[in-house]
Amino acid sequence: MEKRLHLYVSKKHPALWLTGLLMLASVVARIAVFSRIEDISVWRQIVWPSIAVVLFVLMAFLTGEEMLYRTAVPVWMLGICEMWQLYFVLAGRPLLLVLACIGILFFCGSYTSILAGRHKPWLLLPLYLLVLAIVGYMHWQLAAQSRSATTLLPGYLLIAGFITMLFALKVHTDGKYHPTWKDRSDGRYIRSSPAIEQITPFIMPDRCGANILFDESVEISELDRYVRTKRREGMPNFGMTHAIIAAYVRTVARYPALNRFVAGQRIYSRGEDIAVCMTVKKEMTKESPDTVIKVHFHPGDTAQDVYEKFNAAVASAKDEMEDSNVDDAAGILTSTPRMVLKLVVWLVKVLDYFAMAPKFLLELSPFHGSIYFTSMGSLGIKPVYHHLYDFGTVPAFCAFGRKRRAEEIKDGAVVECKYMDLRFNLDERICDGFYYASLIKYFLRLLSHPEVLDRPPETIQRDIP
């Protein structure tokens, strides 16, 4: 991949706050100026450009530290709006209209390219000055015709905001990868995928239509001893759930493609962020409420790390069961009319498809993560084949059931063995069958020899260099 600059702005920089004030002032000025003029197009001259400017400010503040390049979207919205306006102003001068539209397209394209890191950021200054000169020329023309030039005030304020933001621009120098176009806030687009893998999400667009089901049984005599040992070592609540999650985390360290997902018919990698989702109940009763926890792990985490992170998340969820962020958000939505709720869900799906959903929303969603675990053993039943959700990004579901005993013949003698059944539902689009077979065998081997989970992995394989 070509080496690019990674531009960002910090919310702590005063120049960014001044930029926001100037741009919002341009919106207020636009509403005040154009609302007093008769025979105007409300959408073309007020609503559309105001939405674009407000969207620019929100993106700069909410995603400016990692995804500043996305501000190119409202810039293009402004450019389209301006070409729409010029179509009516220069309808009788086609050559001038074409030249003006070419200039607008050049500005929008240059802004997009510079913010994506392909060119030096100082090139934005001459672009802004050129636009400022054009606005000044229009001001002079209106004054010469004895016409009010107040309609240009929103443009002056907007350009002033763009120029001010130049002082807040910085370049990431940490040497790490930072998102660019096609990336998401929760995943990096895999640009090196073979063509057939890139086409597969279009052939099978839904997760439920691309799932594969299988079950495995693991002999847990060693795992049972391991759990008892961990409890004696000062982890009183250590159980099968911790061991299974730790084995999964260790499997991702060796087979990182397991941590991929499909969204917007593209394949992404979560990298080293392993987001495990699980439903928990405050008490094991029918009346007790339940909620979903999402715990973030690192491929280098040991069994003790998993134990501490998971238990902390469970304790926090149980303490705040009545004030869960997920439940609060769901409660607000369900209190609205059905058509409003349907519109909100549709909008979230559209934003998610185009990788525009804000990070805080993805963090709240229990449908966005690396894997969903469910313990049927705690309910005293066998594991189920749980479906995958078409909404969200979770590509894997693992259900494990109660322990069971079976008599087997070993070395000519009948022995009683203990087993636990696991059932998986996986999205086949994220990796091929051979890869899945290899990682499942490794996962089961870890459960048969869980002591290796006490040590960090010797190496952590990276999905994308």
Side-chain angles (χ1 to χ4, degrees):
M1 175 183 283
E2 60 177 309
K3 188 173 180 61
R4 298 183 182 181
L5 298 173
H6 299 284
L7 304 177
Y8 74 100
V9 290
S10 172
K11 289 192 287 286
K12 298 179 181 179
H13 202 293
L16 182 61
W17 288 93
L18 181 57
T19 295
L21 289 174
L22 287 169
M23 290 191 167
L24 293 178
S26 75
V27 172
V28 175
R30 178 175 294 277
I31 296 172
V33 170
F34 285 98
S35 61
R36 295 199 301 264
I37 300 175
E38 298 181 359
D39 192 27
I40 66 165
S41 171
V42 175
W43 278 98
R44 187 175 74 246
Q45 294 174 302
I46 297 179
V47 178
W48 187 261
S50 297
I51 291 175
V53 173
V54 171
L55 184 60
F56 184 96
V57 174
L58 289 175
M59 284 184 167
F61 275 88
L62 298 178
T63 65
E65 294 188 358
E66 281 294 327
M67 297 182 174
L68 184 63
Y69 60 91
R70 286 188 172 179
T71 55
V73 173
V75 167
W76 277 96
M77 290 173 64
L78 286 169
I80 293 171
C81 181
E82 188 61 28
M83 287 190 288
W84 187 11
Q85 175 73 9
L86 289 174
Y87 174 78
F88 296 95
V89 175
L90 301 175
R93 306 166 71 179
L95 180 60
L96 189 58
L97 175 61
V98 171
L99 291 175
C101 289
I102 291 174
I104 292 172
L105 292 174
F106 173 77
F107 174 82
C108 295
S110 299
Y111 181 90
T112 303
S113 184
I114 292 171
L115 266 291
R118 292 189 177 96
H119 307 288
K120 300 293 184 181
W122 63 263
L123 290 174
L124 287 170
L125 181 59
L127 280 177
Y128 295 154
L129 293 178
L130 177 62
V131 174
L132 185 61
I134 294 173
V135 173
Y137 174 75
M138 294 172 64
H139 191 152
W140 177 70
Q141 287 291 317
L142 290 173
Q145 298 172 17
S146 299
R147 296 170 60 186
S148 174
T150 56
T151 55
L152 298 177
L153 178 60
Y156 279 123
L157 291 171
L158 185 60
I159 295 300
F162 276 118
I163 294 176
T164 303
M165 198 176 78
L166 288 174
F167 296 97
L169 282 180
K170 295 182 180 180
V171 179
H172 281 293
T173 57
D174 53 11
K176 297 180 181 178
Y177 178 83
H178 294 275
T180 184
W181 290 108
K182 295 186 179 181
D183 290 335
R184 293 168 51 99
S185 59
D186 57 348
R188 179 178 172 184
Y189 175 57
I190 302 179
R191 295 168 174 82
S192 57
S193 297
I196 187 62
E197 291 185 9
Q198 296 182 37
I199 293 174
T200 301
F202 291 89
I203 299 173
M204 294 180 287
D206 299 323
R207 196 166 285 109
C208 281
N211 64 335
I212 51 175
L213 306 170
F214 68 96
D215 63 89
E216 284 285 354
S217 298
V218 59
E219 211 285 328
I220 58 170
S221 297
E222 287 296 327
L223 190 57
D224 245 354
R225 281 191 286 269
Y226 177 76
V227 168
R228 291 194 297 270
T229 299
K230 303 306 288 184
R231 290 175 178 174
R232 288 195 299 268
E233 291 177 352
M235 302 182 192
N237 298 321
F238 194 93
M240 290 294 178
T241 300
H242 300 97
I244 290 172
I245 294 176
Y248 170 83
V249 170
R250 185 60 53 88
T251 302
V252 172
R254 184 162 180 174
Y255 296 94
L258 181 59
N259 206 25
R260 295 178 179 179
F261 64 91
V262 177
Q265 294 173 301
R266 288 175 177 165
I267 304 175
Y268 295 87
S269 172
R270 287 187 174 275
E272 296 183 350
D273 175 34
I274 305 172
V276 173
C277 302
M278 195 168 186
T279 301
V280 296
K281 293 180 72 69
K282 189 170 184 177
E283 298 174 352
M284 297 305 292
T285 63
K286 292 185 294 183
E287 295 78 16
S288 178
D290 57 70
T291 189
V292 178
I293 61 170
K294 184 185 293 184
V295 192
H296 295 272
F297 299 103
H298 183 272
D301 285 347
T302 62
Q304 182 171 350
D305 297 324
V306 169
Y307 174 81
E308 293 173 354
K309 291 181 180 180
F310 185 82
N311 280 16
V314 171
S316 177
K318 288 184 177 180
D319 290 341
E320 303 173 3
M321 191 70 78
E322 303 300 328
D323 300 313
S324 167
N325 290 333
V326 176
D327 296 336
D328 288 346
I332 293 173
L333 289 175
T334 53
S335 65
T336 61
R338 286 180 299 169
M339 292 306 297
V340 174
L341 177 57
K342 189 172 183 178
L343 178 62
V344 170
V345 173
W346 174 83
L347 180 59
V348 172
K349 287 182 177 180
V350 170
L351 291 174
D352 199 29
Y353 184 91
F354 289 103
M356 300 293 289
K359 191 170 185 178
F360 79 90
L361 187 61
L362 299 181
E363 184 60 29
L364 281 177
S365 169
F367 306 104
H368 292 76
S370 301
I371 188 171
Y372 210 116
F373 281 104
T374 182
S375 172
M376 300 290 101
S378 60
L379 305 177
I381 62 174
K382 295 180 179 180
V384 298
Y385 287 113
H386 199 289
H387 64 88
L388 296 177
Y389 301 103
D390 281 331
F391 177 75
T393 60
V394 176
F397 216 111
C398 176
F400 51 97
R402 65 172 186 259
K403 303 173 186 177
R404 61 178 176 85
R405 298 178 183 275
E407 293 184 345
E408 297 181 355
I409 298 177
K410 292 185 177 180
D411 300 325
V414 177
V415 296
E416 187 178 67
C417 299
K418 288 187 289 186
Y419 281 91
M420 180 172 61
D421 299 321
L422 301 100
R423 288 178 175 170
F424 300 87
N425 192 338
L426 303 171
D427 188 341
E428 71 163 317
R429 298 171 298 176
I430 64 174
C431 53
D432 60 44
F434 180 83
Y435 197 91
Y436 266 136
S438 300
L439 68 87
I440 289 297
K441 287 188 288 186
Y442 180 71
F443 175 74
L444 296 175
R445 192 159 63 247
L446 288 172
L447 292 179
S448 298
H449 304 279
E451 64 280 355
V452 301
L453 301 175
D454 291 335
R455 303 184 299 273
E458 295 180 0
T459 58
I460 298 176
Q461 300 293 331
R462 299 187 183 278
D463 194 9
I464 307 174

